[in-house]
Amino acid sequence: MSAETADAAEPAQGTPAAADPGERRREQRGWYFYDFACSVYSTSVVTVFLGPYLTSVAKAAADADGYVRPLGIPIRAGSLFAYTISASLVVAVILMPIVGAAADRTGRKKPLLAAAAYVGATATAAMFFLDGTRYLLGAFLLIVANAAISVSMVLYNAYLPQIAEPDERDAVSSRGWAFGYTSGALVLVLNLILYTGHDSFGLSESDAVRICLASAGVWWGAFTVVPLRRLRDRRVAPGGRGAVGSGWRQLMATLRDMRRHPLTLSFLLAYLVYNDGVQTVISQASVYGSEELGLDQTTLITAVLLVQILAVAGALGMGRLARVYGAKHTILASLVVWTAILVAGYFLPADAPVFFYALAAAIGLVLGGSQALSRSLYSHLVPRGKEAEYFSAYEMSDRGLSWLGPLVFGLAYQLTGSYRDAIISLVIFFVAGSVLLARVPVRQAVAAAGNPVPERI
């Protein structure tokens, strides 16, 4: 059967996952590979290299008081990375619901996924040119790449209800995260070899960092080919799904429709709050380690490598716990651990790598599982036929509305000059998120969305 015939024969969006287990597994394996492709950006660029490196570039451009002044606005050089992350996610907020609505109305997720992925990969590869005092170039490329990966994840996540049956989703989602953490760990090993041996390769330290940044973009673009070959677009169900109209009209229609599912919105609010804390810890950990704890880049790389390795086991292990205790209770337990991690981080002594490694190990054990189970739990709360539209709202919570945490972190440092005060300020996100999630009746929420209620959730 030709590709065109196969696409034409696809069931309409909103139908259950393919009945043929072999066909489902083929799409699932392709789906895993987008995590494998793009997670290197999140790990090598956002978590390890770009924060300390962009901060050093900004400090080189700063005035005698330690401030840079983009558009005449005085910003501490040490707050620039956090503010740029926040700005990139504001841009993503504008784009993600529009793209999600367009994907649902046209049924063409795959071309939109390709466009977002390759814009982000290109911007990441261009970070090779970030040197000297070009902090504005670095900020611009970070905004483009971070917004692009957020948009691509809307489309990627929206495939989950279409490629997995309800009782498969915790496991499929967890495997996706495990694939991502595996690729992140593999590339970090290569980064560590290049960075620590940069002299033997005839490179300066700055050259090594820029190559590590750019290689993440090349990896992202190269492995995106796999999901683009295996995932398939579904036909749009007949009736009521015309051409895409104004993006803002689509956004307003999505928000109005979501008001009909208040329990789904309640989960999204809880996820917004606690995930804001998770994303901020991930993006600011290397800055905290280098600037506050005085740790060198090699220590930071190996610590994040430890996170990646343990996150694979953590994602799979928490997936098994969810089968026994339910996803909601497993997520709540992970949020208690996150809170303890931040409190321990506040008291962490400087120049003590062993304690930093212990904290990295704890993060690894809860990071992948809390994210994977949140995604699979939400997939049960999405009305059929509106996957991309509703996952755009989820992605706004996952990335697009995670601008508040970096903003709080940056403001805390801007006002106090202490990264310890900045890191402890994030505790409120985990405490408040736990309270909100505990109040969501998830079984009732699944039924209200018109989906079958799994035996354990």
Side-chain angles (χ1 to χ4, degrees):
M1 183 182 292
S2 69
E4 290 81 3
T5 304
D7 282 344
E10 276 298 290
Q13 279 198 94
T15 60
D20 179 10
E23 186 59 40
R24 286 207 310 275
R25 283 195 296 272
R26 184 180 187 277
E27 282 202 90
Q28 288 167 7
R29 286 192 292 268
W31 186 80
Y32 299 150
F33 264 92
Y34 191 68
D35 251 325
F36 191 85
C38 71
S39 292
V40 171
Y41 164 82
S42 300
T43 302
S44 291
V45 177
V46 176
T47 305
V48 178
F49 287 107
L50 190 58
Y53 186 67
L54 183 58
T55 300
S56 70
V57 171
K59 286 183 174 180
D63 59 23
D65 296 321
Y67 287 83
V68 291
R69 301 178 185 274
L71 303 177
I73 302 170
I75 295 176
R76 278 187 190 266
S79 293
L80 177 71
F81 178 67
Y83 287 154
T84 304
I85 289 286
S86 185
S88 72
L89 297 173
V90 171
V91 173
V93 166
I94 298 170
L95 296 177
M96 288 189 300
I98 299 170
V99 173
D104 277 336
R105 282 185 172 265
T106 64
R108 303 291 290 171
K109 293 186 184 73
K110 195 157 65 172
L112 293 169
L113 175 62
Y118 285 109
V119 167
T122 301
T124 305
M127 291 177 185
F128 179 79
F129 301 104
L130 174 60
D131 62 357
T133 59
R134 297 178 179 176
Y135 74 93
L136 286 176
L137 173 64
F140 171 75
L141 292 175
L142 175 57
I143 288 171
V144 172
N146 228 37
I149 197 171
S150 298
V151 169
S152 74
M153 292 301 289
V154 169
L155 303 156
Y156 167 71
N157 286 333
Y159 275 103
L160 181 58
Q162 297 178 341
I163 64 173
E165 298 289 357
D167 60 355
E168 297 178 304
R169 290 179 197 166
D170 284 349
V172 170
S173 183
S174 295
R175 288 189 200 111
W177 283 108
F179 262 61
Y181 287 118
T182 299
S183 73
L186 174 60
V187 173
L188 272 182
V189 170
L190 300 176
N191 291 160
L192 182 61
I193 293 170
L194 178 65
Y195 180 81
T196 57
H198 60 81
D199 287 333
S200 62
F201 291 109
L203 301 170
S204 68
E205 183 177 322
S206 174
D207 290 339
V209 170
R210 292 187 296 116
I211 290 172
C212 291
L213 292 172
S215 65
V218 174
W219 181 284
W220 183 0
F223 283 99
T224 294
V225 172
V226 178
L228 292 181
R229 288 179 64 86
R230 292 204 171 189
L231 292 173
R232 294 176 297 168
D233 285 328
R234 270 68 174 171
R235 288 187 294 107
V236 174
R241 289 188 178 270
V244 178
S246 163
W248 288 109
R249 287 199 301 272
Q250 295 305 311
L251 172 59
M252 293 300 105
T254 300
L255 294 177
R256 283 195 300 271
D257 188 76
M258 291 191 73
R259 290 169 57 189
R260 297 169 49 229
H261 301 279
L263 297 180
T264 302
L265 280 175
S266 295
F267 174 81
L268 272 178
L269 176 60
Y271 181 69
L272 160 66
V273 175
Y274 71 75
N275 187 65
D276 209 341
V278 171
Q279 296 298 326
T280 307
V281 172
I282 293 170
S283 66
Q284 304 304 319
S286 60
V287 174
Y288 182 72
S290 63
E291 299 295 322
E292 183 67 35
L293 303 181
L295 303 175
D296 59 32
Q297 191 73 62
T298 300
T299 300
L300 297 176
I301 296 171
T302 51
V304 174
L305 179 59
L306 178 62
V307 169
Q308 297 299 111
I309 293 171
L310 291 178
V312 175
L316 298 176
M318 287 181 64
R320 292 189 181 96
L321 287 174
R323 289 199 292 270
V324 177
Y325 300 104
K328 176 182 173 181
H329 290 100
T330 306
I331 294 168
L332 285 171
S334 77
L335 297 182
V336 174
V337 177
W338 275 110
T339 303
I341 287 170
L342 285 181
V343 173
Y346 177 80
F347 293 104
L348 212 62
D351 299 315
V354 65
F355 293 108
F356 191 72
Y357 287 137
L359 212 60
I363 289 174
L365 290 174
V366 294
L367 175 59
S370 60
Q371 293 176 318
L373 292 177
S374 295
R375 178 170 64 186
S376 62
L377 179 57
Y378 180 70
S379 73
H380 294 285
L381 311 182
V382 176
R384 288 180 180 172
K386 298 182 179 179
E387 291 86 2
E389 210 169 328
Y390 272 61
F391 265 105
S392 71
Y394 174 86
E395 193 63 24
M396 286 174 64
S397 298
D398 190 6
R399 296 174 189 269
L401 289 184
S402 291
W403 56 267
L404 183 58
L407 180 61
V408 168
F409 187 94
L411 285 173
Y413 180 76
Q414 178 101 359
L415 296 173
T416 67
S418 168
Y419 283 107
R420 292 186 188 274
D421 292 339
I423 203 73
I424 201 65
S425 69
L426 302 178
V427 166
I428 186 62
F429 291 98
F430 294 101
V431 174
S434 298
V435 172
L436 292 170
L437 178 59
R439 294 170 59 88
V440 178
V442 291
R443 299 185 70 84
Q444 183 180 341
V446 174
N451 296 320
V453 182
E455 181 180 348
R456 183 77 64 181
I457 193 169

